[in-house]
Amino acid sequence: MFTKVFSEYGLPVEYSNLTTGPEQTQALASGDIQFLYAVGATSVILSASNGADIKIISTYGRSPEAFRLFAGKDSTIQTAADLKGRKFAGPVAYNMAKDGYRVVTTGKDLVDATIVVATSGAFYEKNPLLVKRFLEAQSEIAQYMKENAEETLEITARETELSMEAVKEMFPMYDFSTEITEADITSMKKTEQFMKDNGMIENRVDINGLILKID
């Protein structure tokens, strides 16, 4: 769908599989990439705090229940507080659950786990039409997912190399609506405050100013 939209302007669409926030934001800052399609709001806040030209144009998804803390099958850990002083790592949640590991807690009611779509302010100023068309294509994709649920699940299973059973179980944990809501803004403000309070960022970030208002 992106290819179809941008072909109208004679522009090819190329994808880069960047899986970490720093990789994504650095690629945007260097100009190698014009859109970050699925970047953590935390990474955007960190990048903006460091002075990067980065702007949020929509949300990609939210998945608080997909963020999980696991304990061993026979572990005495019962709450997140019990993790103090412990070492932990984050493997694939679905596989851990199926292997019998116990869920200590999820992100539900703690964090919205907001994933966003971002571009640079400079790119938007020079190419407002392209950014608008990108958002229109994203909306078309979201609508297609709703109308073709089974095909969407099959594509997801193939691309992630997970079973259909796994994808069907996890899919309800995700909200792929693209509109930036007041709840999203509030969540990002809380995240920014948490990052400042814990020394993760030095400079404050105006969340409202981080979001592009696109007509």
Side-chain angles (χ1 to χ4, degrees):
M1 290 182 180
F2 286 128
T3 298
K4 180 181 178 181
V5 164
F6 288 108
S7 65
E8 297 174 14
Y9 307 95
L11 298 172
V13 174
E14 297 180 0
Y15 294 90
S16 295
N17 187 24
L18 305 178
T19 58
T20 69
E23 285 181 309
Q24 293 172 314
T25 54
Q26 288 168 17
L28 183 69
S30 68
D32 289 340
I33 286 177
Q34 288 71 50
F35 295 99
L36 298 184
Y37 192 49
V39 58
T42 302
S43 296
V44 175
I45 293 169
L46 178 59
S47 181
S49 177
N50 290 333
D53 175 19
I54 188 168
K55 298 290 183 181
I56 294 171
I57 59 175
S58 70
T59 54
Y60 174 85
R62 306 159 193 82
S63 55
E65 290 188 69
F67 282 68
R68 300 181 171 193
L69 285 175
F70 285 90
K73 302 171 185 177
D74 302 316
S75 174
T76 59
I77 293 174
Q78 299 294 327
T79 68
D82 295 334
L83 293 168
K84 186 175 181 179
R86 307 290 186 96
K87 293 182 179 180
F88 61 92
V92 179
Y94 177 82
N95 292 335
M96 292 294 288
K98 291 305 177 186
D99 285 342
Y101 287 83
R102 183 166 41 81
V103 177
V104 176
T105 188
T106 73
K108 186 178 181 180
D109 299 325
L110 296 173
V111 63
D112 289 332
T114 306
I115 308 299
V116 300
V117 179
T119 189
S120 67
F123 183 80
Y124 175 67
E125 288 178 10
K126 294 178 181 178
N127 307 279
L129 178 60
L130 296 183
V131 174
K132 185 176 181 179
R133 295 291 281 134
F134 182 97
L135 291 176
E136 289 173 355
Q138 187 187 7
S139 295
E140 289 179 20
I141 291 168
Q143 187 62 33
Y144 187 90
M145 290 169 64
K146 291 180 181 178
E147 296 174 356
N148 301 274
E150 192 68 21
E151 181 186 354
T152 297
L153 294 175
E154 290 173 357
I155 292 171
T156 303
R158 183 170 65 249
E159 293 297 324
T160 59
E161 298 183 350
L162 289 169
S163 67
M164 277 291 287
E165 177 189 8
V167 173
K168 286 183 176 180
E169 184 173 324
M170 291 187 292
F171 192 76
M173 300 178 188
Y174 291 80
D175 172 8
F176 289 107
S177 58
T178 62
E179 180 183 357
I180 301 171
T181 66
E182 286 301 318
D184 293 325
I185 295 172
T186 298
S187 177
M188 286 189 280
K189 286 181 177 179
K190 290 181 179 179
T191 298
E192 190 272 346
Q193 185 66 55
F194 176 85
M195 294 173 75
K196 185 70 174 71
D197 292 344
N198 288 276
M200 298 170 68
I201 57 174
E202 293 185 8
N203 304 306
R204 299 305 301 257
V205 176
D206 175 14
I207 298 299
N208 289 323
L210 194 59
I211 300 170
L212 278 179
K213 304 297 189 296
I214 299 172
D215 299 325

